[in-house]
Amino acid sequence: MRRSSLRDSIEKFQALATSNETKLKKNPFSGSYVEQKFDKNSADYARPPSGSLTEARGIKASMHVCREVLFLIETINENAIGEVPNRVIEFGKLFTLYSYYSETLMGMLIRARKYGLITFEGEMLYQRQDDKKPIAMLLSLQEVQARLRPSGDPKNCIKFI
């Protein structure tokens, strides 16, 4: 009986040592660091380990980004002119309205454009310089509300059904 408990202790120690060695090989500050090779076509590439706190934070962030994009579309819809779905607002007016709530306007505009919710000219819009540039909605608010969902994937925050 005693021999098996000793064997169990040795096996646990060996497993711990192997685990530690694996972690050290991934740590660039350790003496046993080995440069990792990544397969960009792999399903887990650019994604946190499943079940990790990083994955949980990513999922929480995707819900936040989805709410922010929806809030942006609602703000544009409330203050834009024109017929649904082609409502238009100038960047200067939107900047003034939205900056009261959040400093992430440009990031949310780029994200919303990526998913085909809005369109605007140029890569970036700058305060004062681009105040007169129009931002146009491509879908009605009801369509966006019905189809926009958080993806649950930290790599791609939003799913547009």
Side-chain angles (χ1 to χ4, degrees):
M1 192 87 173
R2 183 176 168 106
R3 184 168 170 86
S4 67
S5 66
L6 180 62
R7 186 174 311 208
D8 290 343
S9 297
I10 291 171
E11 287 174 4
K12 285 180 185 178
F13 179 78
Q14 198 62 28
L16 184 63
T18 305
S19 170
N20 189 40
E21 186 177 326
T22 304
K23 288 179 184 176
L24 285 174
K25 285 182 180 178
K26 293 179 180 179
N27 183 350
F29 301 108
S30 74
S32 59
Y33 174 68
V34 176
E35 189 172 334
Q36 296 177 342
K37 304 288 185 216
F38 296 103
D39 179 17
K40 292 184 179 181
N41 299 321
S42 174
D44 63 343
Y45 180 74
R47 287 184 170 76
S50 183
S52 68
L53 289 175
T54 304
E55 182 187 43
R57 285 189 298 268
I59 291 168
K60 185 178 175 182
S62 74
M63 289 187 278
H64 175 73
V65 168
C66 190
R67 281 193 307 267
E68 282 281 325
V69 169
L70 187 57
F71 178 72
L72 172 67
I73 298 299
E74 289 171 349
T75 304
I76 291 172
N77 188 60
E78 289 173 9
N79 298 288
I81 56 173
E83 295 299 316
V84 174
N86 300 318
R87 298 181 51 80
V88 177
I89 189 170
E90 289 182 343
F91 176 69
K93 182 177 180 182
L94 180 62
F95 186 88
T96 304
L97 293 167
Y98 196 83
S99 64
Y100 177 76
Y101 300 104
S102 176
E103 70 279 354
T104 62
L105 174 62
M106 200 62 233
M108 292 303 118
L109 284 172
I110 291 170
R111 181 78 54 142
R113 180 171 65 178
K114 174 183 174 184
Y115 290 100
L117 306 176
I118 62 168
T119 186
F120 57 88
E121 186 182 317
E123 291 295 316
M124 292 283 291
L125 298 174
Y126 299 97
Q127 188 181 13
R128 292 182 195 50
Q129 175 181 326
D130 295 320
D131 280 354
K132 298 293 181 188
K133 286 200 177 173
I135 299 170
M137 290 178 61
L138 298 175
L139 301 168
S140 70
L141 177 61
Q142 291 75 22
E143 283 180 286
V144 173
Q145 288 172 333
R147 297 173 58 193
L148 191 68
R149 298 282 180 266
S151 69
D153 180 6
K155 186 177 178 187
N156 300 311
C157 293
I158 297 174
K159 178 172 44 176
F160 196 66
I161 305 169

